[in-house]
Amino acid sequence: MGHFVGLLASGIAQGAIAALIALGIVLLHQTTGVVNFAQGDLLTLGAYFGVWLVVAHGVATVLAYVIVVALVFAVGVAMERIGYAPLRRQPILAVVISTFALALGLRSLIILWQGNDQKTLPSPFGGSVWHVAGAAVPYQSVLIVGVTGVVLAGLMLMLHRSSIGRQVRALAADRETALLQGIRVTRLSVLMFGLSAALAGLGGVLVAPTLTVSPQLGFTLLLSSFAATVLGGFDRMGATVLAAFGIAIVQQMAAGYVSADYVEAYPYLILLIALVLRPSGLFGEVVRVRY
């Protein structure tokens, strides 16, 4: 029983991180139509910023989390100015290639700054664990789930109670009509690039104490997030969050009871099986088009 509960807790914590990354992907896609392939490297950057602040400069952990979110938000805004704004009127493929280039550039800068050596970020709870049903669940995992829950609630409030949220939902529902209504996509794209980057950075600094920090950290976690985004749908935030948790839990269970050698392949195996059984996605609708 303890083994099962431990795997379940690990899956929920990993699902929370995947949900943060996937939400950033969905928000940006709904606003700009762009899929940002640099999202994983932004998570890596958040983890390294955390190590730099806490380990190298002795900043208090909670304060470091806030600073990391602000720094990665600024990096996201810079990415919008460099990689998206000049290409706004170009084919979407050009923008996608640009995000690939930004991801490679960001990873190279991280290596130049911090090197390839693995690093660790201490948890604010040290090695303290929560003993539940025979399993030792790190308090850092509890923090990950709690912070993600607060962030999800805040995003839902923003999307449904604010002017910015209504504009994002209008663009997601009918982009052409929203543009005719005078919605300023330029301002929204800057904000959403920054916000999606901040979500990834937050995920990075939260997950760093549970893993070793390396330049490849974000890419590994990005795999589950993209699978969740495809499975849940680029236009359904709630479904994407559920898919992120579901994939992560199944991934951890399969690693624990089947084989840990294929842990990175499990998300795509789950995605493949789900799309074979339901090609429109878990929550998608089939649309018939006549020619």
Side-chain angles (χ1 to χ4, degrees), residues 60-183:
T61 306
V62 175
L63 177 60
Y65 285 7
V66 176
I67 295 174
V68 166
V69 171
L71 288 174
V72 183
F73 180 94
V75 172
V77 171
M79 291 178 71
E80 192 275 344
R81 293 288 85 191
I82 296 169
Y84 174 70
L87 302 173
R88 186 177 286 113
R89 299 185 185 279
Q90 300 301 316
I92 196 66
L93 180 60
V95 183
V96 171
I97 294 173
S98 174
T99 67
F100 269 117
L102 288 170
L104 294 174
L106 187 56
R107 192 177 308 176
S108 298
L109 289 174
I110 290 172
I111 293 172
L112 286 173
W113 175 38
Q114 292 288 325
N116 270 314
D117 296 337
Q118 294 183 343
K119 300 182 183 297
T120 57
L121 176 64
S123 168
F125 303 103
S128 299
V129 296
W130 177 31
H131 294 280
V132 52
V137 180
Y139 279 115
Q140 184 68 28
S141 296
V142 179
L143 178 66
I144 290 172
V145 176
V147 171
T148 300
V150 172
V151 170
L152 290 177
L155 283 175
M156 292 303 157
L157 283 174
M158 182 198 77
L159 288 172
H160 291 89
R161 299 294 179 87
S162 70
S163 173
I164 291 174
R166 286 190 288 272
Q167 292 177 58
V168 171
R169 288 190 292 118
L171 284 168
D174 191 332
R175 186 174 183 82
E176 292 184 2
T177 302
L179 292 174
L180 291 174
Q181 293 292 328
I183 290 179

Side-chain angles (χ1 to χ4, degrees), residues 1-10 129-139:
M1 182 64 179
H3 183 54
F4 174 82
V5 172
L7 291 173
L8 178 63
S10 179
V129 296
W130 177 31
H131 294 280
V132 52
V137 180
Y139 279 115

